[in-house]
Amino acid sequence: MGGRPSVRTIKRLFAAFPEAVFYNMYGSTEGLFSMFHQIDRNRDNCGMIPAGTPIYNRIAILIDESGHKAKSGAIGELYIRSGLPFVGYYRDKELSDKVFVVNPLNP
């Protein structure tokens, strides 16, 4: 499914597949998925599902409105850094420059 899973959807999946393990996979179109969270049957079906933890070779940085690294629990914009080239963008500087941004903490 695309987008954020609703609480209703999570409850229905747990009821239909009692032995299954579900993950919330988060990421941009360009990077497929960059973060994951194993959904906890006893906790995550009653509210917002976390975006999760960065996968291998990804770093997630939350930037506040003043352009600084946000503190835990703050609201901001999520930047995901990767050391891996993305399919379709590798060696295509023009296309990469249109889509990807410079790390605002390390311009």
Side-chain angles (χ1 to χ4, degrees), residues 57-88:
N57 209 12
R58 303 279 201 282
I59 296 172
I61 306 166
L62 189 66
I63 306 294
D64 66 20
E65 60 186 17
S66 64
H68 297 96
K69 189 173 181 180
K71 295 180 181 178
S72 180
I75 295 174
E77 188 166 351
L78 183 62
Y79 286 76
I80 299 172
R81 185 172 75 190
S82 172
L84 302 172
F86 293 107
V87 175

Side-chain angles (χ1 to χ4, degrees), residues 12-58:
R12 290 174 75 190
L13 286 170
F14 284 151
F17 305 99
E19 301 299 319
V21 176
F22 295 99
Y23 290 87
N24 184 33
M25 307 300 284
Y26 176 86
S28 64
T29 301
E30 295 78 20
L32 299 176
F33 64 90
S34 296
M35 299 173 71
F36 72 98
H37 171 77
Q38 183 175 341
I39 299 173
D40 183 333
R41 291 178 178 273
N42 300 313
R43 194 177 122 228
D44 289 335
N45 63 355
C46 59
M48 186 69 69
I49 306 296
T53 303
I55 64 169
Y56 171 77
N57 209 12
R58 303 279 201 282

